[in-house]
């Protein structure tokens, strides 16, 4: 590529001609994925005749594209194309983009991420070219919100819209709704006020999934009636790394009538809790949510979480008890705190050593063997290890003494406890 091409960029037609020529793209990508394109009769003079192997999914990212090229060539070779990735190119003219898109009649997916489209106006006649697109990706393009609204009005079948990394701090509502949109992915922006998020409800009444991670949203301010009316179909919401700091905001998620999946990590509210406490407290507060932070909530986990919730708040003053506490007490009763049981292995025991008329308190290591205990006792009973027999007396058992006759056996295997006795008897000569 010469310096003029570096300055001027390359056309869409030039790039597909080069990338999908038989020399660079000789094989089909599996059944139905590759298409050998033969131009129509009217394009007998085409320089690309009989030499392109185009798949239905074109990936042309980072190719330096800044213009469309010959539209007749696009028509001839892209009639079967359904997905087009033009991310990380140099497109900064909606006219050129519309020339490409309008000549791909079956296009359903378009990725324009990281093209320099900040401040570039979109005319309505250019927006009409996007009418068949169902999934549109505009991440890191800094397109204006007016452009977004125009595109949603002109794409009557739009189902998924990606608007990440576009520095939006506010949005404006549209007078024309986009009822087909199911997924809005608007992470890594600067949306802080719920008043902005509220507008998505009226613009996209069929919204199923709202992904808003990495926005500093401070709270959810609407009432139950408003949330039910604005988001009647919302099934999944992602609020990772938002600024939510009150349990009241979490409880308001119950007002979305169809909400089943919630992602809520990295919020200030949860920083003071352990991972287990976070999950249990959220599950107990969200009775209709079946997937939390990507993990399915089982029936047994929900019951454990709800019981934990009751015990967690059992000593709180009445005026500080959350509303959910009372409904769970109605369900399970007022539970008593669980007994604290230390299941860690014990390393020492305080025992009484009995030898003839002598009794001595001794702290013994439970990880040592019987032979090692005998060695420890030589200074207490003045017998050699070969001259003593040891018996263990469990003071909590009705059974008699048990001889410690296996020198290599560890003491902890006898379940020795504080207060038990070790009886030392001299061997008969």
């Amino acid at each position: 590529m010469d310096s003029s091409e570096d300055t001027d960029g390359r056309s869409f037609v030039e790039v597909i001609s080069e990338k999908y020529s038989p020399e660079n793209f000789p094989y089909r990508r599996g059944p139905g994925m590759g298409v050998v394109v033969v131009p129509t009769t009217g394009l007998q003079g085409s320089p690309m005749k009989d030499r392109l192997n185009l798949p239905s999914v074109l990936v042309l990212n980072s190719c330096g594209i800044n213009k469309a090229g010959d539209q007749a060539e696009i028509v001839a070779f892209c009639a079967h194309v359904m997905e087009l990735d033009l991310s990380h190119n140099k497109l900064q003219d909606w006219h050129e983009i519309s020339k490409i898109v309008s000549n791909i009649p079956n296009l359903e997916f378009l990725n324009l991420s990281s093209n320099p489209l900040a401040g570039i106006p979109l005319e309505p006649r250019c927006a009409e070219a996007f009418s068949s697109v169902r999934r549109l990706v505009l991440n890191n393009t800094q397109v204006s919100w007016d452009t977004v609204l125009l595109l949603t009005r002109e794409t009557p079948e739009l189902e998924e819209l990606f608007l990440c990394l576009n520095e939006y701090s506010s949005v404006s509502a549209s007078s024309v709704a986009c009822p087909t949109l199911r997924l809005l992915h608007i992470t890594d922006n600067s949306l802080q006020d719920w008043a902005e998020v509220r507008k998505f409800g009226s613009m996209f009444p069929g919204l199923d999934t709202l992904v808003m991670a990495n926005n500093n949203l401070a709270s959810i301010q609407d009432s139950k009636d408003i949330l039910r009316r604005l988001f009647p179909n919302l099934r999944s919401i992602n609020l990772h790394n938002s600024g939510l700091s009150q349990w009241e905001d979490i409880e308001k998620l119950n007002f979305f009538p169809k909400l089943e999946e919630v992602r809520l990590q990295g919020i200030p509210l949860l920083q003071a809790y352990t991972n287990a406490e976070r999950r249990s407290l959220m599950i107990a507060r969200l009775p209709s949510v079946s997937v939390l932070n990507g993990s399915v909530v089982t029936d047994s986990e929900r019951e454990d979480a709800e019981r934990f919730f009751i015990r967690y708040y059992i000593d709180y003053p009445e005026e500080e008890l959350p509303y959910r506490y009372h409904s769970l007490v109605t369900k399970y009763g007022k539970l008593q705190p669980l007994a604290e049981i230390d299941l860690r292995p014990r390393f020492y025991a305080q025992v009484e050593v009995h030898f003839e008329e002598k009794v001595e308190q001794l702290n013994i290591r439970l990880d040592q063997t019987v032979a090692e205990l005998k060695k420890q006792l030589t200074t207490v009973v003045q017998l050699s290890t070969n001259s003593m027999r040891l018996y263990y007396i469990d003071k909590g058992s009705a059974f008699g003494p048990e001889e410690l006759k296996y020198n290599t056996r560890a003491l902890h295997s006898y379940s020795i406890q504080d207060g038990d006795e070790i009886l030392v008897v001299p061997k008969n000569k």
Side-chain angles (χ1 to χ4, degrees), residues 183-188 194 197 208-215 217 234-242 244 253 259 261-267 293-294:
L183 167 66
L184 177 61
H185 208 296
I186 193 164
T187 65
D188 295 280
W194 182 260
V197 182
D208 170 278
T209 302
L210 176 58
V211 184
M212 284 191 57
N214 304 326
N215 283 273
L217 184 68
L234 192 67
R235 186 195 56 80
S236 173
I237 192 167
N238 184 331
L239 295 168
H240 279 345
N241 299 321
S242 61
L244 299 181
L253 297 175
L259 194 67
E261 180 174 358
V262 171
R263 292 179 180 266
L264 263 176
Q265 291 178 319
I267 63 175
N293 294 328

Side-chain angles (χ1 to χ4, degrees), residues 81-309:
V81 171
M82 299 181 69
E83 299 188 14
L84 176 59
D85 183 351
L86 292 174
S87 60
H88 296 274
N89 279 291
K90 300 178 179 180
L91 292 161
Q92 53 185 335
D93 186 336
W94 284 107
H95 288 279
E96 294 300 319
I97 297 172
S98 67
K99 288 178 186 177
I100 298 171
V101 175
S102 62
N103 289 297
I104 307 179
N106 294 305
L107 188 65
E108 294 186 356
F109 171 84
L110 176 63
N111 186 354
L112 293 173
S113 295
S114 299
N115 279 278
L117 294 168
I120 308 299
L122 172 63
E123 298 176 5
R125 64 184 181 86
C126 290
E128 293 173 2
F130 296 82
S131 60
S132 67
V133 173
R134 294 177 182 269
R135 293 176 291 149
L136 179 60
V137 186
L138 296 170
N139 296 337
N140 194 33
T141 56
Q142 279 73 53
V143 294
S144 70
W145 191 255
D146 287 341
T147 295
V148 172
L149 293 182
L150 179 55
L151 286 169
T152 58
R153 286 199 299 268
E154 297 298 333
T155 48
E157 299 180 42
L158 187 65
E159 296 176 0
E160 299 179 5
L161 180 59
F162 294 77
L163 299 170
C164 310
L165 295 161
N166 283 334
E167 302 179 9
Y168 298 132
S169 58
S170 64
V171 299
S172 56
S174 173
S175 57
V176 180
C178 179
T180 56
L181 195 75
R182 299 288 178 264
L183 167 66
L184 177 61
H185 208 296
I186 193 164
T187 65
D188 295 280
N189 281 282
S190 302
L191 298 170
Q192 300 182 34
D193 194 334
W194 182 260
E196 306 303 320
V197 182
R198 181 189 303 133
K199 298 169 187 175
F200 299 146
S202 58
M203 284 190 283
F204 311 120
L207 197 62
D208 170 278
T209 302
L210 176 58
V211 184
M212 284 191 57
N214 304 326
N215 283 273
N216 196 29
L217 184 68
S219 64
I220 300 175
Q221 298 164 338
D222 284 329
S223 66
K224 178 177 181 179
D225 290 342
I226 293 175
L227 292 175
R228 291 179 65 88
R229 176 170 54 83
L230 288 179
F231 297 93
N233 297 296
L234 192 67
R235 186 195 56 80
S236 173
I237 192 167
N238 184 331
L239 295 168
H240 279 345
N241 299 321
S242 61
L244 299 181
S245 58
Q246 302 292 326
W247 280 115
E248 289 79 0
D249 293 313
I250 308 304
E251 290 166 345
K252 283 189 176 182
L253 297 175
N254 292 310
F255 299 157
F256 297 101
K258 293 187 180 179
L259 194 67
E260 298 176 354
E261 180 174 358
V262 171
R263 292 179 180 266
L264 263 176
Q265 291 178 319
I267 63 175
L269 170 65
L270 301 178
Q271 291 177 357
Y273 302 94
T274 66
N275 288 337
E277 288 173 340
R278 292 169 188 168
R279 186 166 176 88
S280 293
L281 292 174
M282 284 195 291
I283 289 173
R285 276 186 161 91
L286 299 170
S288 298
V289 170
S290 56
V291 180
L292 178 62
N293 294 328
S295 298
V296 173
V297 180
T298 63
D299 291 341
S300 61
E301 183 184 23
R302 180 170 299 285
E303 180 174 343
D304 289 344
E306 291 175 345
R307 289 178 176 274
F308 171 84
F309 189 87

Side-chain angles (χ1 to χ4, degrees), residues 308-360:
F308 171 84
F309 189 87
I310 294 173
R311 293 187 171 101
Y312 186 88
Y313 285 101
I314 199 165
D315 293 326
Y316 274 60
E318 181 69 26
E319 64 274 11
E320 295 181 22
L321 290 173
Y323 172 78
R324 183 70 176 146
Y325 174 85
H326 299 290
S327 60
L328 289 177
V329 166
T330 300
K331 181 177 181 180
Y332 296 106
K334 199 166 186 178
L335 306 176
Q336 295 302 312
L338 293 173
E340 293 189 9
I341 301 174
D342 188 353
L343 297 178
R344 293 174 297 178
R346 296 176 58 84
F347 293 102
Y348 291 91
Q350 191 80 22
V351 298
E352 289 184 357
V353 177
H354 291 253
F355 175 63
E356 296 179 342
E357 301 299 323
K358 185 178 181 180
V359 178
E360 187 166 335

